[in-house]
Amino acid sequence: MTPPPTVDTRPFWAGFPSGVAIVTALAGDGRPWGMTCTSLCSVSLDPPILLVCLRCGSPTLEAVQETGAFCVNLLHDGARGTSNLFASGAADRFDRVRWRAGPGAAGPHLTEAAHTIADCAVLEDRTVGDHAVVMGRVEGLARLGPQRPLLYGRRRYASWPEAVDADEAGIAPVPLRLASVIEGLG
């Protein structure tokens, strides 16, 4: 029996715009890893669980699996260059951006590129095709400022028409354990 032909779904997904995030993690040796990700969605609000899909074999996925933690950095519309950098696989990407990973951080916080950051603990990961679906419980949330989210679709970037403040977005104040990290960004 001949297997069915593989369907190229890239045009389908190009027509489905999404926000842009960079998933980051620290390996057991403390080395930072990260990759651009548009495969992100909410799984549950109570408890707060999200999922990301990461390419099998990527060092970022390996760091997430090794440490059981990761960070989701939601990018603002001024961070197109950072999105491209982390999609490129450049070995020196963390040398070319500003980031912090202090107490309470599940991975590097991209302090100049992100408008909101979620620190997550891995609940489960499962390989599906050429990616791993990683579910994480959101342990902390930090809003860095009212920015317009970076969007991607039809193979190009766009932005939200206006900035949204934290109250309008429904984001609670920064938890105390993350407040010291954010205050130290200066």
Side-chain angles (χ1 to χ4, degrees):
M1 177 177 225
T2 305
T6 301
V7 176
D8 182 2
T9 59
R10 288 176 293 183
F12 175 80
W13 292 116
F16 186 69
S18 66
V20 182
I22 294 177
V23 175
T24 59
L26 292 171
D29 64 2
R31 184 173 178 181
W33 291 99
M35 62 188 286
T36 301
C37 176
T38 57
S39 298
L40 163 70
C41 74
S42 172
V43 174
S44 169
L45 294 176
D46 188 16
I49 298 170
L50 58 77
L51 72 75
V52 295
C53 296
L54 306 176
R55 182 181 48 79
C56 289
S58 75
T60 302
L61 175 59
E62 291 172 10
V64 168
Q65 291 171 327
E66 178 183 4
T67 62
F70 64 96
C71 218
V72 177
N73 295 268
L74 299 181
L75 301 187
H76 59 70
D77 68 343
R80 294 174 186 194
T82 303
S83 173
N84 289 333
L85 175 64
F86 278 77
S88 75
D92 66 343
R93 66 191 91 170
F94 280 96
D95 295 332
R96 296 166 57 184
V97 297
R98 186 170 176 203
W99 62 278
R100 296 276 192 273
H109 289 193
L110 302 180
T111 57
E112 291 181 350
H115 65 79
T116 307
I117 300 170
D119 289 291
C120 303
V122 174
L123 294 176
E124 178 182 349
D125 74 90
R126 176 173 299 185
T127 300
V128 179
D130 59 1
H131 279 64
V133 178
V134 181
M135 286 195 234
R137 180 184 176 107
V138 178
E139 302 286 327
L141 194 64
R143 177 115 170 124
L144 302 181
Q147 305 263 351
R148 295 183 304 189
L150 181 61
L151 306 173
Y152 188 79
R154 296 191 174 191
R155 303 191 197 322
R156 64 179 180 252
Y157 292 105
S159 64
W160 206 260
E162 59 193 39
V164 177
D165 65 28
D167 291 338
E168 201 175 344
I171 295 175
V174 175
L176 290 177
R177 66 181 187 83
L178 290 179
S180 62
V181 174
I182 293 169
E183 287 170 6
L185 299 179

